[in-house]
Amino acid sequence: MLKGKTALVTGSTSGIGLGIATALARQGAHIVLNGFGDVEAPRAQVLEAGKAAGIKVGYHGADMSKASEIEDMMKYAAAEFGRVDILVNNAGIQHVAKMEEFPVEKWDAIIAINLSSAFHTTRLALPAMQQANWGRIINVASVHGLVGSAQKSAYVAAKHGIVGLTKVTALENASTGVTCNAICPGWVLTPLVQKQVDAKAAAQGISNDEATKQLLGEKEPSMQFTTPEELGELAVFFCSPAGNNVRGVAWNMDGGWAAQ
Ligand code: NAD
């Protein structure tokens, strides 16, 4: 379905970004990976998913907290792949602390990586999408783009911000073939959440299993994690012809979290 298109997924060396990149590759899209850590295993996973379509996989290690590196990454994608047809703004970090104890540098980093980076990639990707009259921008927000949780001030502010940015991007392009939507996951068992499970287990002297049950039980009525694969399929839907007129939505996959 996406043969010939190119998707750039920020923060795709792990977790949800890798799940989305893999699902888009399976549909035949060339992929530009980004993120820290090991690149070879993610690259191999994505190449394997797109093997039947003979996709190309690129990588750029831009730090999403730095506008100049984001500019380099967008130039690299245009030079190597022609243009970015599908932009998935996914890179994100978390820090958990009460507001009066929240480190200022963590606040700045979360706003830069989880919110401002999407402004930069989007402003740089839009002209070519508009010229082609086709584009998909998918912002990985969070259920925390819709509701708050204590001790997550920067994260909740950034995620509410990216839901707002999604609506403005959708509206400014509403009469074109460029759509913008947000995905709002509840708990997904990735390294970002594993750290929170480990912290809970350590703080209360309980097992990892018990901490996981508590974590889900506090917020998620389904008592189950959403998976990167499921989120990947939602991204595929936004890219499908059926998604042509889905504009500016914040679609939660959260096991009922925000329905309460
Ligand atoms: P993860 O830690 O598994 O992956 C994060 C990715 O972002 C990695 O590839 C990492 O290298 C990359 N990254 C981090 N800082 C970066 C930077 N400065 N520049 C470039 N890349 C950077 O996390 P995840 O759980 O897959 O989270 C992905 C997105 O999903 C985040 O935006 C997160 O807020 C959102 N999200 C996660 C959950 C969850 O439960 N895991 C729920 C809702 C939303």
Side-chain angles (χ1 to χ4, degrees), residues 62-120:
D63 180 339
M64 288 298 115
S65 68
K66 300 198 167 78
S68 62
E69 294 192 18
I70 296 172
E71 284 173 16
D72 279 352
M73 179 181 74
M74 299 308 285
K75 278 189 198 141
Y76 158 82
E80 290 290 314
F81 292 87
R83 76 168 167 265
V84 173
D85 303 286
I86 300 163
L87 169 65
V88 182
N89 290 308
N90 165 81
I93 58 168
Q94 174 64 287
H95 186 79
V96 181
K98 283 186 181 168
M99 225 149 92
E100 60 276 24
E101 289 157 12
F102 210 91
V104 171
E105 63 279 8
K106 286 283 182 201
W107 171 276
D108 289 343
I110 290 176
I111 298 298
I113 296 164
N114 295 21
L115 177 58
S116 302
S117 71
F119 162 68
H120 294 301

Side-chain angles (χ1 to χ4, degrees), residues 11 13-14 16 36 63-64 90 113 141 155 159 185-186 188 190-191 193:
T13 50
S14 169
I16 295 170
F36 300 148
D63 180 339
M64 288 298 115
N90 165 81
I113 296 164
Y155 190 84
K159 295 300 187 182
V188 186
T190 65
V193 162

Side-chain angles (χ1 to χ4, degrees), residues 152-175:
K152 295 188 175 174
S153 54
Y155 190 84
V156 171
K159 295 300 187 182
H160 274 67
I162 205 165
V163 169
L165 184 71
T166 301
K167 291 175 184 170
V168 174
T169 308
L171 289 176
E172 288 186 7
N173 294 281
S175 63

